[in-house]
Amino acid sequence: MWDYSEKVQEYFFNPKNAGVLAEANAVGEVGAISCGDALKLMMKVDPVTNVILEAKFQTFGCGSAIASSSALTELVIGKTIEEALKLTNQDIADFLGGLPPEKMHCSVMGYEALQAAVANFRGETWTDDHEEGALICKCFGVDEGMVERAVRMNNLTTIEQVTAYTKAGGGCLTCFDALEGVLAKVNAEMVAEGVLDPAKAYKLGSVDPLALKKKPTPKAAAPAPVVSLGEIAPVRTSHPAPAGVSPLDPATPTPALTNLQKIRLIEQAIEELRPNLRADNGDCELVDVDGSTVYVRLSGACVGCQMASVTVSGIQQRLAAKIGSPIRVVPVGKN
Amino acid sequence: MRPVYLDNNATTRVDPQVVEAMLPFFTEQFGNPSSIHSFGSSVGGAVKAARKQVQALLGAEFDHEIIFTSGGTESNNMAILSALEAMPGRDVIITTKVEHPAVLSVCEYLEKTGRAKVHYIGVDSFGRLDLEAYRAALSDRVALVTLMWANNETGTIFPVEPLAELAKEVGALFHTDAVQAVGKVPITLKGSAIDMLSLSGHKLHAPKGIGALYVKRGVRFKPQMRGGHQERGRRAGTENAPGIVALGKAAELAMAAMADEQTRVKALRDRLEAGIMQRVPNCFVNGDKYDRLPNTCNVAFEFVEGEAILLHLTRAGIAASSGSACTSGSLEPSHVLRAMNIPFTAAHGSIRFSFSRESIDEDVDRVIEVLPGILEKLRTLSPFWAGANEAPKEFKPVYA
Ligand SMILES: Cc1ncc(COP(=O)(O)O)c(C=O)c1O
């Protein structure tokens, strides 16, 4: 089990300000897909003085997620919105007497919930608008721009170097794919610009992720012709539905929530990618989502360009990182 | 208060009789079993006796089919690496998505280094093997099929005997990681199509660091540990005599306790499961309720996270384990529950309770007493929770 500080334990076992705040006028709902955590922050803000009078939270997550949420409410109560916005995720971690490195993203989630709640209070919609692209490494709060800069400025060509320079990937390493994608992309740009020896450039998939503590997802068995079941007697092919199953029993269809959520995430990811594609005179729209297959329409310079397959795999990677499970991106024709 | 230990699939307490049996081999009987003098020969005799005890537990035909190793991990590594070497011209391995890392990482490594192609067969939402995919993957290029007998997380049992027959039809070797099955379900290897089987001492009340690999007589075997002639040259290194004696005694005790495991222990497990289902809304059992180890109970609690449950259980003096990897150093949810397509908040909220012959009624009572309160407390904290037996609340956080 994790090595939690006394303060974390105290705030986990007896969280302060847990529950629903009916009269909230500033609500932030955020999640960290890497760990499956989610947090709803509710605050009551004085509309005249901007002072946060009350704050409550609800959290789905592990011990440190709950403790971080509770710590956040304690930190913001009594502050003005402006003061509260100066808080960082490190302040939350410090308040708790520190968090294990792999759990730092719990404090980042608290930070984001606060940003989202303030945006809600001000009548804005909050998106994860890290100026230079989404956070790649949740553990250490490193965004794409920072990784790109570090790679360029220091001629980095390995994941280990990126981790050493930026910390990204130094925790849970669930960001391995995204990190690898950025490194390969920037290295390819550098080769094209003639500033990097092609032999040195990082190649996707060239690292043994085992050595980096990351387990690759096992590949599915190759599709093979369907063979009849045969007579393996002891195996039943279907079970009678067990009595008293709950609505989320795996045998019954899962509720729409996860699917909806997924589609929303995909839309969001594609929206984030569009500015980049447009900068290259291309574009991409979402056509349909079917299970784990995402159909997109590429247009402009993306069509027929040599880079089309690179673009598709880039989108695929980006989506998979967002959803947290493998996604297949299939480009469809004009109509 | 007696601590409640319901994490026997992680490891078991060494049986006092086992401790007693092994202790002399640290002191008076310290000799090297290979030595001719009297210090050695009595130890050699004890090792031989232990081999027979393990043979009996596995229902193996010959005692020399048992090779002592350092545990389940070594046995699995040895079996897989040997099979690949012993079957020239064949480079395909068939395994499953729900194996223990002691099989999965070996396969992934072999794949990565280009030494083998690996098929990872999937499972359904009850954790049962996709038989069609299995049959389709079998071919004359398959060197080895390695499938676990029972799953460590859910207890789900694969029908390894008929699956081994199918492997035989294409001439492949068949290995099973039976670390969780040995001592909990009856096993008869004599006459079966199983070529190799791994077991681990610490899962059956012997110490950690001792185990065995069964290799059927006549099956081609390539040693992975070279050196002296111990274990007929199949696993060099001076024998871990105290460990081996302990494993032998543990095997004997497990044989004697098999009936207890199948009846009393199973009844404890069933009572816990029923008690939880009755008192805690929105939960379900993970795994195949019908073909399952008698000691294992894995329950998914919707809308709460496993580590949070475990922290509360720990404080109440109850040891269990979580399907949520949040506890274990990695942040990915359990690969087993993921392969079963368990919905995400439920997979994150899965808890495994695993019994042993040392478990008693009071253990079950204690869990049933504290668990409903823990769940209630955590669920009021959960933004997904909408009340007992309700669908999840509309809650769509912005995922950053
Ligand atoms: C199914 C399974 N295989 C292998 C192992 C590894 O065994 P050992 O700890 O003896 O190396 C375990 C135990 O963790 C297990 O549950």
Side-chain angles (χ1 to χ4, degrees):
Chain A
M1 195 80 69
W2 302 97
D3 192 10
Y4 284 141
S5 71
E6 298 248 320
K7 198 95 180 258
V8 171
Q9 296 191 34
E10 183 189 323
Y11 273 77
F12 167 71
F13 284 118
N14 298 301
K16 299 195 171 76
N17 312 315
V20 176
L21 183 60
E23 61 275 31
N25 58 355
V27 177
E29 301 183 346
V30 298
I33 200 94
S34 59
C35 197
D37 292 351
L39 160 59
K40 178 172 181 175
L41 174 68
M42 293 152 275
M43 306 193 296
K44 186 174 154 196
V45 183
D46 184 323
V48 180
T49 61
N50 274 359
V51 170
I52 299 165
L53 303 170
E54 271 183 81
K56 287 199 163 201
F57 76 93
Q58 284 188 305
T59 293
F60 169 85
C62 54
S64 55
I66 290 172
S68 295
S69 309
S70 181
L72 169 69
T73 58
E74 288 282 281
L75 280 168
V76 299
I77 293 172
K79 288 198 170 63
T80 64
I81 290 281
E82 292 70 27
E83 288 164 351
L85 282 176
K86 295 205 183 92
L87 291 170
T88 64
N89 72 299
Q90 193 62 47
D91 292 327
I92 297 172
D94 290 347
F95 180 88
L96 290 169
L99 286 172
E102 297 85 346
K103 296 285 187 172
M104 277 303 279
H105 64 265
C106 293
S107 63
V108 175
M109 182 168 77
Y111 169 81
E112 287 171 344
L114 178 61
Q115 309 291 314
V118 170
N120 172 259
F121 172 70
R122 292 176 172 166
E124 303 158 2
T125 39
W126 181 81
T127 44
D128 185 18
D129 60 343
H130 293 274
E131 278 160 28
E132 305 166 69
L135 269 196
I136 288 201
C137 168
K138 292 270 155 184
C139 298
F140 296 107
V142 182
D143 64 29
E144 188 168 340
M146 191 167 159
V147 174
E148 283 187 14
R149 263 199 316 273
V151 171
R152 271 192 175 275
M153 286 164 46
N154 306 291
N155 284 318
L156 309 184
T157 53
T158 69
I159 300 280
E160 290 93 328
Q161 287 173 338
V162 172
T163 303
Y165 276 80
T166 65
K167 280 194 174 179
C172 66
L173 210 54
T174 44
C175 62
F176 177 83
D177 288 347
L179 206 54
E180 190 188 52
V182 176
L183 178 59
K185 185 193 80 182
V186 177
N187 274 186
E189 288 167 9
M190 291 161 72
V191 168
E193 291 158 19
V195 296
L196 181 68
D197 175 359
K200 290 210 181 113
Y202 181 82
K203 283 172 218 60
L204 274 184
S206 64
V207 161
D208 181 359
L210 284 177
L212 290 167
K213 271 194 348 202
K214 161 91 172 97
K215 278 188 273 156
T217 358
K219 282 191 207 70
V226 178
V227 175
S228 75
L229 195 63
E231 42 306 307
I232 298 185
V235 188
R236 282 173 297 277
T237 49
S238 69
H239 273 319
V245 290
S246 74
L248 275 189
D249 189 284
T252 59
T254 50
L257 175 80
T258 42
N259 235 346
L260 262 177
Q261 212 169 38
K262 192 154 124 186
I263 292 173
R264 218 177 120 183
L265 284 170
I266 291 169
E267 281 174 343
Q268 206 183 312
I270 289 181
E271 277 313 311
E272 285 167 15
L273 282 166
R274 288 176 83 171
N276 286 337
L277 296 171
R278 288 205 188 113
D280 293 324
N281 290 319
D283 208 344
C284 166
E285 346 157 16
L286 178 62
V287 177
D288 200 2
V289 178
D290 179 12
S292 60
T293 307
V294 177
Y295 296 92
V296 297
R297 183 173 296 123
L298 297 173
S299 54
C302 295
V303 180
C305 134
Q306 269 207 344
M307 293 301 281
S309 68
V310 177
T311 307
V312 167
S313 70
I315 297 173
Q316 193 159 294
Q317 236 172 43
R318 187 72 173 245
L319 294 186
K322 221 157 179 135
I323 308 287
S325 68
I327 286 281
R328 202 160 70 97
V329 172
V330 177
V332 295
K334 262 255 167 281
N335 29 74
Chain B
M1 223 179 339
R2 177 185 195 265
V4 175
Y5 184 75
L6 293 179
D7 200 11
N8 287 282
N9 284 11
T11 197
T12 56
R13 187 175 80 113
V14 181
D15 192 295
Q17 293 182 64
V18 170
V19 177
E20 198 188 330
M22 75 188 289
L23 280 181
F25 293 87
F26 290 107
T27 51
E28 303 95 65
Q29 305 203 55
F30 63 86
N32 186 325
S34 303
S35 305
I36 303 201
H37 50 64
S38 60
F39 290 91
S41 60
S42 69
V43 181
V47 167
K48 193 167 167 54
R51 208 182 297 280
K52 289 210 175 296
Q53 287 165 313
V54 175
Q55 175 201 353
L57 179 63
L58 298 181
E61 190 168 7
F62 304 100
D63 65 350
H64 61 73
E65 292 174 327
I66 312 299
I67 303 172
F68 290 113
T69 68
S70 68
T73 301
E74 184 188 333
S75 298
N76 287 341
N77 272 265
M78 216 154 103
I80 297 168
L81 296 174
S82 159
L84 209 54
E85 254 186 74
M87 302 288 277
R90 292 176 177 242
D91 63 347
V92 173
I93 295 175
I94 299 178
T95 186
T96 79
K97 291 186 179 172
V98 297
E99 297 298 310
H100 190 272
V103 166
L104 273 185
S105 354
V106 182
C107 291
E108 283 162 6
Y109 178 71
L110 290 171
E111 198 178 20
K112 195 105 211 162
T113 51
R115 287 203 273 163
K117 293 182 186 59
V118 185
H119 288 299
Y120 300 92
I121 307 296
V123 296
D124 68 8
S125 58
F126 294 99
R128 295 169 307 179
L129 198 70
D130 179 345
L131 290 176
E132 289 178 28
Y134 175 58
R135 293 185 70 121
L138 286 169
S139 75
D140 60 7
R141 294 203 33 217
V142 178
L144 175 74
V145 175
T146 171
L147 308 174
M148 68 203 317
W149 196 305
N151 188 275
N152 45 306
E153 290 189 28
T154 64
T156 299
I157 291 175
F158 285 152
V160 281
E161 284 147 316
L163 294 170
E165 304 274 353
L166 289 176
K168 220 51 340 164
E169 284 174 18
V170 298
L173 289 176
F174 189 93
H175 165 253
T176 180
D177 174 352
V179 164
Q180 292 294 345
V182 171
K184 294 175 192 154
V185 293
I187 290 177
T188 307
L189 291 174
K190 184 181 167 190
S192 84
I194 295 166
D195 296 309
M196 293 184 278
L197 173 148
S198 301
L199 68 90
S200 174
H202 73 99
K203 311 285 183 180
L204 53 143
H205 305 281
K208 292 147 193 71
I210 185 70
L213 177 67
Y214 159 89
V215 180
K216 191 184 274 306
R217 180 168 173 250
V219 165
R220 297 178 61 180
F221 184 83
K222 296 282 182 184
Q224 303 300 311
M225 193 65 79
R226 292 163 200 282
H229 59 271
Q230 294 90 351
E231 303 296 297
R232 296 179 164 222
R234 292 169 301 179
R235 199 268 193 185
T238 300
E239 297 86 341
N240 171 6
I244 290 171
V245 169
L247 182 60
K249 184 69 186 175
E252 182 195 306
L253 295 174
M255 285 267 277
M258 189 72 75
D260 180 57
E261 188 86 27
Q262 299 286 327
T263 54
R264 191 190 62 89
V265 173
K266 179 172 184 299
L268 288 177
R269 191 274 311 271
D270 290 345
R271 190 161 74 79
L272 175 71
E273 216 160 81
I276 293 174
M277 295 299 136
Q278 218 168 49
R279 287 160 205 238
V280 181
N282 295 76
C283 60
F284 57 86
V285 173
N286 287 321
D288 184 348
K289 276 198 198 170
Y290 303 89
D291 272 323
R292 196 161 46 132
L293 292 176
N295 80 319
T296 307
C297 165
N298 187 318
V299 180
F301 298 97
E302 288 171 351
F303 319 130
V304 283
E305 202 277 333
E307 182 198 299
I309 303 174
L310 279 190
L311 288 169
H312 276 286
L313 284 174
T314 304
R315 197 166 70 152
I318 296 166
S321 80
S322 158
S324 150
C326 262
T327 46
S328 62
S330 108
L331 297 168
E332 292 171 38
S334 138
H335 69 288
V336 175
L337 300 179
R338 235 173 9 176
M340 289 163 63
N341 256 324
I342 303 297
F344 126 128
T345 78
H348 274 279
S350 289
I351 301 288
R352 177 187 73 188
F353 300 96
S354 47
F355 293 80
S356 80
R357 60 175 185 254
E358 297 187 340
S359 308
I360 57 173
D361 265 317
E362 191 199 319
D363 297 339
V364 174
D365 296 337
R366 289 264 301 282
V367 177
I368 294 180
E369 188 188 314
V370 303
L371 199 57
I374 293 173
L375 264 299
E376 201 179 306
K377 179 164 179 158
L378 290 173
R379 278 173 172 171
T380 58
L381 283 180
S382 169
F384 294 107
W385 177 243
N389 299 317
E390 296 288 332
K393 212 185 218 149
E394 269 293 291
F395 176 64
K396 294 186 217 162
V398 177
Y399 280 93

